[in-house]
């Protein structure tokens, strides 16, 4: 499932062919993604110019000249393929081979930039929705989301306050989208290894009883930001490589520190621990029991 860095990479791949361009033709081959597309989906998009392409957590937000915002989510297996315009590429589809089958091209945008953008999603957990910009604050999909981890609002003080008195594990707290938006299983494992904190540690232990951040909270916030920045940078370079060679985006998994590396040596300098896999709230956690305390 794509996490924040993958979605940001997709945004950067789509921006050159979408921003400033008009939807010339919109084809919705299947109206039933995770939720049905709005009935007037094609009509509300056609002729509109994309004034900006942003991101909130794992949602892409295309601002339209009409005042609507097109919300797009990749779900489990969604990807975008760009043909024509400024280079052809497949954006997304990191953990599943992108279905080449055109039967899974559920939505197709022909843009005035000359690009054709195909949204392919074999498992159909992805979604698209049109929301008036003025009502975006009240949009249920976005309203409950915590702060952006790369934004200034996400600080040691904020995270400690959110974890104050929490008996759940740090892993569970960081995976909670209300505490911090856009982190999933992979980058939570990666950030905890970088911060030398155990995923099993109680969330409350990064805060004092009054909710003030301790040294662990500071280390954790720094590790989360650094982990995401590195992953976005790696995505950016895969995007550039992609312009030269064909193949789908996202060799991020080769750079993981602990994720999916059970039995391998811990990457922490000077640590001779071995990565272990445990199951927490039904998901695999990878960590080093030696240096992550
Ligand atoms: Zn270690």
């Amino acid at each position: 499932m794509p996490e924040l860095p993958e979605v940001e990479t997709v945004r950067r791949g789509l921006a050159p062919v979408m921003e400033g361009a008009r939807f010339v033709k919109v084809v919705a081959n299947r109206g039933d993604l995770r939720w049905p597309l709005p009935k007037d989906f094609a009509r509300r998009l056609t002729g509109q110019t994309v004034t900006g392409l942003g991101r909130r957590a794992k949602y892409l937000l295309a601002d339209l000249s009409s005042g609507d915002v097109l919300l797009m989510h990749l779900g489990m297996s969604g990807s975008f393929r760009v043909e024509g315009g400024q280079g052809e590429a497949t954006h997304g589809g990191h953990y599943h081979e992108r279905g080449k089958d055109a039967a899974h091209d559920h939505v197709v945008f022909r843009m005035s930039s000359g690009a054709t953008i195909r949204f392919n999603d074999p498992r159909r957990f992805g979604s698209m929705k049109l929301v008036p910009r003025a009502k975006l604050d009240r949009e249920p999909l976005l309203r409950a989301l915590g702060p952006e981890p790369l934004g200034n609002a996400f600080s040691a003080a904020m995270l400690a306050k959110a974890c104050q008195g929490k008996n759940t594990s740090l892993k569970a707290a960081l995976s909670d989208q209300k505490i911090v938006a856009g982190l999933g299983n992979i980058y939570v494992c990666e950030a905890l290894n970088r911060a030398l904190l155990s995923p099993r540690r109680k969330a409350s232990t990064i805060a004092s009883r009054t909710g003030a951040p301790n040294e662990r909270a500071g280390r954790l916030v720094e590790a989360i930001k650094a982990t995401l920045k590195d992953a976005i940078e790696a995505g950016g370079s895969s995007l550039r490589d992609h312009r030269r060679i064909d193949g789908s985006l996202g060799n991020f998994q080769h750079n993981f520190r602990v994720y999916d590396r059970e039995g391998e040596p811990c990457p922490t300098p000077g640590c001779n621990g071995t990565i272990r896999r445990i199951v927490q709230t039904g998901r695999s956690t990878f960590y080093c029991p030696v240096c992550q305390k």
Side-chain angles (χ1 to χ4, degrees):
M1 189 164 196
E3 295 187 28
L4 187 154
E6 287 78 19
V7 178
E8 177 59 22
T9 299
V10 171
R11 190 194 70 75
R12 291 177 185 194
L14 291 177
V17 290
M18 285 191 90
E19 287 185 332
R22 202 162 24 81
F23 289 93
V24 174
K25 192 174 180 196
V26 174
V27 180
N29 291 321
R30 278 194 78 135
D32 56 337
L33 295 173
R34 183 164 195 169
W35 299 289
L37 291 171
K39 270 197 211 84
D40 52 356
F41 184 71
R43 189 187 57 75
R44 276 167 78 182
L45 287 175
T46 308
Q48 301 303 325
T49 299
V50 177
T51 55
L53 184 64
R55 178 188 58 74
R56 173 75 174 107
K58 295 194 273 186
Y59 289 92
L60 294 170
L61 280 74
D63 264 292
L64 309 180
S65 45
S66 61
D68 276 335
V69 178
L70 170 62
L71 251 65
M72 299 178 278
H73 195 285
L74 296 170
M76 310 277 286
S77 59
S79 65
F80 287 95
R81 186 164 83 250
V82 178
E83 298 162 352
Q86 299 178 33
E88 307 201 347
T90 301
H91 303 303
H94 304 274
Y95 306 112
H96 298 268
E97 197 174 330
R98 202 195 66 78
K100 299 264 187 263
D101 192 345
H104 300 303
D105 284 348
H106 302 308
V107 179
V108 182
F109 300 138
R110 208 146 61 73
M111 307 300 297
S112 62
S113 57
T116 298
I117 301 167
R118 296 175 191 277
F119 180 66
N120 186 288
D121 187 4
R123 296 180 66 181
R124 282 187 288 122
F125 278 103
S127 57
M128 293 199 189
K129 187 173 180 179
L130 283 161
V131 181
R133 170 50 72 175
K135 290 187 178 168
L136 209 57
D137 296 353
R138 281 166 281 158
E139 168 53 40
L141 294 173
L142 305 178
R143 202 177 42 195
L145 292 172
E148 282 290 315
L150 290 172
N152 291 333
F154 184 64
S155 63
M158 180 269 139
L159 185 60
K161 200 80 198 161
C163 289
Q164 179 187 6
K166 268 206 185 318
N167 273 325
T168 52
S169 66
L170 263 186
K171 167 88 187 296
L174 295 178
S175 306
D176 182 347
Q177 302 299 301
K178 293 192 281 298
I179 291 182
V180 53
L183 289 183
N185 207 37
I186 296 174
Y187 293 104
V188 169
C189 292
E190 294 292 288
L192 285 169
N193 176 259
R194 200 157 175 152
L196 306 178
L197 292 171
S198 170
R200 312 168 78 155
R201 171 181 278 284
K202 273 191 185 174
S204 60
T205 62
I206 66 163
S208 73
R209 215 167 291 163
T210 58
N214 60 26
E215 175 270 334
R216 291 185 204 108
R219 231 191 312 151
L220 184 53
V221 164
E222 268 178 43
I224 290 168
K225 289 179 189 274
T227 298
L228 295 175
K229 279 182 190 158
D230 283 357
I232 290 170
E233 211 165 286
S237 37
S238 74
L239 211 57
R240 285 189 295 276
D241 293 346
H242 196 269
R243 299 246 155 91
R244 296 193 296 269
I245 48 161
D246 193 47
S248 107
L249 235 193
N251 293 316
F252 301 8
Q253 55 266 59
H254 301 309
N255 299 324
F256 291 150
R257 296 169 66 91
V258 291
Y259 186 80
D260 210 16
R261 288 189 181 273
E262 185 180 16
E264 293 183 34
C266 172
T268 302
C271 177
N272 55 11
T274 301
I275 307 305
R276 242 180 98 184
R277 185 183 77 90
I278 55 170
V279 175
Q280 288 180 295
T281 53
R283 306 288 307 272
S284 285
T285 297
F286 297 88
Y287 80 112
C288 170
V290 176
C291 66
Q292 291 181 246
K293 301 289 185 194

